[in-house]
Amino acid sequence: MYWNASIETMPAGKLKELQLQRLKDTVRRAGQSPFYRQRLAQAGVSADSLRSLEDVGRIPFTTKDDLRAAGREMLTCPLTEIVRLHASSGTTGQATVIYYTRQDIAAWADLVARSMYMTGVRPGDVFQNMMGYGLFTGGLGFHYGAELLGCLTIPAGAGNSLRQIQLMQQFDATVLHIIPSYALYLLATFTQRGVDPRDLNLRIAFIGAEPHTEEMRRRIEEAYGVKAYNSYGLSEMNGPGVAFECPEQSGMHVWEDAYLLEVVNPRTLEPTPPGEIGELVFTNLTRQGMPILRYRTRDLASWDPEPCPCGRTHRRISRIQGRDDDMLIVKGVNIFPIQIERVLMAMPEVDANYLVELTRENFNDVMHVKVEVREEFFQEDLRYLQSLQKRVTEALRNELLITPKVELVEPSTLPRGEGKAVRVVDKR
Ligand code: ADP
Ligand code: ZN
């Protein structure tokens, strides 16, 4: 049932002790990098001065800009000990680069294997990894974890829809790793080929890398006949395997033996109470080559201290609500793209994809929402489509408190790349 029972079910008090020990080790280690040597000295923080986990608050935060500026100044060891680099996908600007020692790669693979095992993946499963291989951590990160667990691993990579389906069929894939928006997009190709994904051998899908809603998960589960597990990670914290859903599917366990979690109010930077949305801040507890202290992820979620029925003691976080920096301000109203998705995915007439465009007309913000409508509904008459458009507009207005201009478009007509979906184009 557990990949590493003693760690996964470690009593909370013991886990905290382990974290404090590892925090001290990490601060000591980080101090060997030019960047943190200076940072920590300025802040007057040394490993020995940390007496409790709360003392982590004395360490300055690290931001994406810090990583960009510091580059290899963040390394704690000579380059001869570094065996790999990855870069974030650069969703919000210039990519940041992360360096790994051999030991870092092994520790990361172990966390991914632990996450996969938790959901019921076992040796003998055929794992099709449909994430981009290369600089993006989603591909190789899962690949190493799946091999360590003992899956037959298909390094399918991203895109090439037809080939993906052929691979699933030919090798009887049982487990998929797929970007959620791509999972829905791929359904059109299944339909074209006359293949029902539910007739394949699939039983589990890992979906992550981009924010998505419960409605989206349910759609994927239904269409593919799988259980879909939310998978969270970021390259700054290795990549996938930071937080992962267990079979309870009620929040994601953060692997607290490897990552120290804080959730803070992004304005005041004070810790938020359980259940309140805040910014996730992580500190590496086991990384050797490039440990990062108090990394501000910009990702928004809440935390849950309640014990989980699965027996794991590691705290859970909610679904990611979006990034602090992808909040839109339209006509003075704060909007998160995920709110739009929640409304759209709850409407059975809406197909896989949507696109939000923001423009300024006569000094006013205008939000255009292009929505793909399912084939069977598109065949209805004009009056029907007009009433549908009105319903979509009203549902969005109820959620967002502003009135968007809704345009219904045919299925599979909105642009779709291979990686993370681009849902918002701000032309203002
Ligand atoms: P980038 O920041 O350039 O996208 P990464 O490839 O490191 O680079 O992506 C990590 C980010 O992806 C996270 O910080 C988060 O915003 C998003 N992400 C990853 N997994 C999930 C998930 N399960 N749900 C929501 N967002 C996620
Ligand atoms: Zn659990």
Side-chain angles (χ1 to χ4, degrees):
M1 188 174 168
Y2 303 111
W3 174 256
N4 185 338
S6 65
I7 287 281
E8 290 173 57
T9 64
M10 185 175 275
K14 274 222 128 122
L15 189 53
K16 283 197 163 182
E17 273 173 38
L18 179 70
Q19 285 190 305
L20 180 57
Q21 188 52 51
R22 290 187 171 176
L23 176 65
K24 286 165 171 267
D25 293 345
T26 303
V27 167
R28 205 168 286 125
R29 174 101 196 174
Q32 292 167 17
S33 74
F35 174 80
Y36 277 119
R37 186 179 308 131
Q38 205 194 0
R39 261 287 158 97
L40 293 170
Q42 270 170 359
V45 178
S46 67
D48 295 331
S49 70
L50 300 171
R51 307 228 178 277
S52 72
L53 277 182
E54 284 64 46
D55 279 348
V56 74
R58 293 176 40 223
I59 302 173
F61 290 103
T62 304
T63 64
K64 221 179 181 61
D65 284 339
D66 288 330
L67 298 187
R68 285 185 187 127
R72 291 187 187 168
E73 302 273 286
M74 302 270 302
L75 295 187
T76 63
C77 56
L79 219 51
T80 46
E81 287 176 40
I82 300 293
V83 299
R84 169 108 58 93
L85 67 76
H86 278 286
S88 77
S89 37
T91 310
T92 56
Q94 187 199 330
T96 45
V97 182
I98 305 298
Y99 297 86
Y100 305 74
T101 64
R102 199 180 302 281
Q103 197 180 330
D104 291 335
I105 298 285
W108 177 24
D110 190 71
L111 289 170
V112 173
R114 186 200 291 179
S115 305
M116 296 177 75
Y117 196 89
M118 170 164 73
T119 67
V121 177
R122 294 291 179 272
D125 268 307
V126 179
F127 172 63
Q128 185 162 328
N129 193 9
M130 302 166 66
M131 289 279 169
Y133 276 66
L135 289 175
F136 178 54
T137 52
L140 283 171
F142 256 84
H143 186 100
Y144 274 56
E147 283 191 353
L148 180 64
L149 197 161
C151 296
L152 169 55
T153 305
I154 311 176
N160 204 343
S161 300
L162 193 53
R163 178 131 181 84
Q164 297 286 0
I165 295 173
Q166 287 165 344
L167 288 172
M168 285 178 213
Q169 289 179 307
Q170 186 179 354
F171 299 112
D172 279 328
T174 56
V175 181
L176 301 180
H177 180 207
I178 187 167
I179 292 186
S181 56
Y182 185 71
L184 289 188
Y185 171 81
L186 187 63
L187 290 173
T189 312
F190 271 107
T191 309
Q192 278 161 24
R193 301 296 297 170
V195 179
D196 185 340
R198 282 170 302 196
D199 295 337
L200 304 180
N201 248 0
L202 303 170
R203 57 187 200 93
I204 290 175
F206 301 122
I207 54 175
E210 64 183 14
H212 57 282
T213 52
E214 191 61 39
E215 287 76 16
M216 187 102 158
R217 183 233 296 275
R218 265 189 245 121
R219 280 187 175 208
I220 293 169
E221 291 193 327
E222 237 168 72
Y224 285 81
V226 295
K227 237 182 149 185
Y229 293 95
N230 197 352
S231 150
Y232 170 78
L234 61 163
S235 41
E236 292 82 356
M237 291 291 127
N238 294 327
V242 174
F244 219 91
E245 269 182 343
C246 69
E248 301 293 324
Q249 291 190 313
S250 164
M252 298 181 277
H253 289 283
V254 173
W255 295 129
E256 293 189 282
D257 56 314
Y259 304 101
L260 182 65
L261 166 72
E262 297 171 80
V263 186
V264 304
N265 178 312
R267 313 282 164 252
T268 65
L269 302 179
E270 290 301 317
T272 53
E276 197 173 293
I277 299 286
E279 179 178 343
L280 303 179
V281 173
F282 290 106
T283 299
N284 287 116
L285 293 178
T286 54
R287 199 152 63 184
Q288 301 291 311
M290 186 176 163
I292 303 180
L293 309 177
R294 302 193 87 202
Y295 182 66
R296 289 191 61 179
T297 62
R298 320 298 306 230
D299 290 330
L300 300 171
S302 62
W303 65 284
D304 177 0
E306 292 303 313
C308 184
C310 78
R312 292 178 184 82
T313 47
H314 300 233
R315 283 180 298 167
R316 283 170 292 166
I317 53 172
S318 69
R319 205 170 263 299
I320 309 292
Q321 306 294 309
R323 300 197 203 216
D324 190 32
D325 35 17
D326 61 27
M327 187 181 80
L328 307 168
I329 303 181
V330 185
K331 296 184 178 173
V333 179
N334 297 352
I335 294 173
F336 280 101
I338 206 80
Q339 292 176 274
I340 299 170
E341 176 172 311
R342 204 177 298 135
V343 169
L344 296 178
M345 291 298 134
M347 304 187 79
E349 299 88 348
V350 172
D351 204 46
N353 215 348
Y354 63 91
L355 183 69
V356 179
E357 264 175 14
L358 299 170
T359 58
R360 191 157 279 155
E361 290 169 21
N362 302 324
F363 306 104
N364 271 324
D365 292 334
V366 182
M367 177 186 272
H368 305 261
V369 184
K370 292 184 181 167
V371 183
E372 287 181 3
V373 175
R374 286 205 175 143
E375 194 68 49
E376 59 265 39
F377 296 100
F378 223 92
Q379 285 156 1
E380 298 282 344
D381 64 16
L382 192 61
R383 208 167 332 139
Y384 172 82
L385 285 176
Q386 280 171 345
S387 86
L388 176 60
Q389 185 206 34
K390 217 168 137 205
R391 269 195 295 129
V392 175
T393 308
E394 268 162 22
L396 285 171
R397 183 174 50 219
N398 285 339
E399 168 73 30
L400 309 176
L401 309 175
I402 61 160
T403 310
K405 285 191 173 172
V406 173
E407 183 188 338
L408 304 182
V409 303
E410 289 192 52
S412 309
T413 52
L414 292 175
R416 177 70 181 85
E418 289 182 356
K420 306 184 184 207
V422 178
R423 302 295 202 185
V424 179
V425 182
D426 198 338
K427 296 179 170 167
R428 291 177 294 182

